[in-house]
């Protein structure tokens, strides 16, 4: 009869369960896979498959009792690491939602919003368009494979039970302001052009008060805004590539990966 000790069972459980929590937390939070478009069952199966592939190549996990308090703390640590990795990637995609909000408000299209099926919240129409375009470009550039590579390297650079969290999160917190700054820099040309158009309408309203400037200015601003937005898409790929490199580098800095 095959007899297994508690230490052997605990070692097998920790070798598979602890990586599963980190991988599952990342898949539940990160964009593309973490939205409502992907069922929770599919994400769970994907997390199990990735864990089965990675577990033979991971460093040894700490052998602890499955019902011990230390095991619960290690599980919480893995969930926190995976969630932060996914949250950093989520911030990258929110750049394009903020960009769409800036342009929409300036061109008078801020009232046009739609329900984001992935997140379940209302977002501007242009923001949803840019978000879908960013998602397709991210997948086309194999950005999701780079994220999985960083996740695999994190088990070596951030081993389970390393106790790094407080100091490391403090270092990363100062780098999160680039989200709003990047959105402002990309939206600046379009917003500036629309601001000049609105100022021209303001001068016209002062020079000829008898004109119904709202009836003339709103549709013209909307049409000019769409034209300016269309012209600004010529450089969106270059901006996306630069932001993608910066976002993935932020993930590597957090995981201390190469």
């Amino acid at each position: 009869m095959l007899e297994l000790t508690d230490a052997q069972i605990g070692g097998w459980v920790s070798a598979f369960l602890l990586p599963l929590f980190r991988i599952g937390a990342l898949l539940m939070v990160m964009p593309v896979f973490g939205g409502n478009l992907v069922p929770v069952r599919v994400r769970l199966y994907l997390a199990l498959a990735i864990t089965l592939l990675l577990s033979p190549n991971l460093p040894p996990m700490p052998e602890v009792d499955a019902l011990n308090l230390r095991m619960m703390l290690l599980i919480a640590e893995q969930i926190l690491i995976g969630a932060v990795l996914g949250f950093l990637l989520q911030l990258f995609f929110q750049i394009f939602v903020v960009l769409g909000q800036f342009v929409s408000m300036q061109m008078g299209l801020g009232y046009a919003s739609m329900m984001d099926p992935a997140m379940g919240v209302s977002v501007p129409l242009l923001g949803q368009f840019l978000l879908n375009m960013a998602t397709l470009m991210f997948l086309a550039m194999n950005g999701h494979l780079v994220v999985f590579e960083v996740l695999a390297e994190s088990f070596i650079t951030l081993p389970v039970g390393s106790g790094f969290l407080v100091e490391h999160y403090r270092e990363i917190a100062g780098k999160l302001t680039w989200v709003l700054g990047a959105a402002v820099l990309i939206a600046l040309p379009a917003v500036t052009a629309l601001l000049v158009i609105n100022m021209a309408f303001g001068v016209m309203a002062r020079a000829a008060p008898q004109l119904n400037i709202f009836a003339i200015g709103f549709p013209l601003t909307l049409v000019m805004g769409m034209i300016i937005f269309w012209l600004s898409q010529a450089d969106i790929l270059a901006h996306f590539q630069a932001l993608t490199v910066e976002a993935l580098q932020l993930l590597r800095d957090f995981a201390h990966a190469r």
Side-chain angles (χ1 to χ4, degrees):
M1 177 183 288
L2 179 63
E3 295 183 358
L4 299 176
T5 63
D6 295 339
Q8 289 176 329
I9 297 176
W12 291 346
V13 169
S14 61
F16 180 79
L17 192 63
L18 292 176
L20 176 63
F21 276 104
R22 184 183 297 192
I23 297 171
L26 173 66
L27 292 178
M28 292 297 174
V29 177
M30 71 175 291
V32 182
F33 297 101
N36 296 330
L37 295 178
V38 181
V40 178
R41 184 176 299 178
V42 174
R43 281 178 274 173
L44 179 59
Y45 291 157
L46 184 59
L48 290 172
I50 295 176
T51 306
L52 288 175
L53 292 175
L54 288 181
S55 56
N57 302 318
L58 296 181
M61 300 293 166
E63 297 182 1
V64 292
D65 188 3
L67 300 178
N68 195 0
L69 178 61
R70 184 167 180 264
M71 185 66 171
M72 301 302 167
L73 295 176
L74 291 177
I75 290 175
E77 181 189 54
Q78 302 315 302
I79 294 176
L80 188 58
I81 294 174
V84 171
L85 287 173
F87 176 72
L88 293 177
L89 195 61
Q90 192 73 250
L91 286 178
F92 163 67
F93 279 84
Q94 291 304 311
I95 290 176
F96 301 94
V97 178
V98 176
L99 170 61
Q101 181 70 42
F102 284 157
V103 179
S104 297
M105 294 299 294
Q106 194 67 29
M107 64 186 292
L109 202 61
Y111 64 88
S113 61
M114 63 176 295
M115 186 64 65
D116 184 4
M119 302 300 297
V121 297
S122 180
V123 297
L125 186 62
L126 292 182
Q128 183 65 30
F129 170 77
L130 291 173
L131 182 61
N132 292 335
M133 185 173 60
T135 302
L136 294 176
M137 288 191 295
F138 187 77
L139 294 176
M141 294 171 59
N142 291 328
H144 58 294
L145 299 182
V146 179
V147 174
F148 293 148
E149 179 186 358
V150 174
L151 176 65
E153 292 183 9
S154 68
F155 288 100
I156 300 175
T157 57
L158 300 177
V160 177
S162 58
F164 73 101
L165 296 176
V166 176
E167 293 79 6
H168 200 66
Y169 291 153
R170 191 175 302 169
E171 295 175 1
I172 296 297
K175 302 179 181 180
L176 299 182
T177 55
W178 66 278
V179 176
L180 183 60
V184 171
L185 289 177
I186 298 176
L188 192 59
V191 171
T192 304
L194 291 171
L195 181 61
V196 172
I197 295 175
N198 290 327
M199 290 176 62
F201 282 123
V203 173
M204 291 173 58
R206 293 288 294 177
Q210 65 273 15
L211 290 177
N212 190 356
I213 198 64
F214 292 102
I216 301 174
F218 180 74
L220 187 58
T221 303
L222 189 59
V223 172
M224 291 300 298
M226 295 301 296
I227 294 175
I228 293 171
F229 178 76
W230 173 63
L231 293 176
S232 65
Q233 298 306 298
D235 296 331
I236 192 65
L237 181 59
H239 292 299
F240 180 81
Q241 290 177 342
L243 291 174
T244 303
V245 171
E246 189 172 355
L248 295 177
Q249 185 59 45
L250 184 61
L251 285 181
R252 292 185 180 276
D253 292 340
F254 175 79
H256 286 170
R258 298 189 301 272

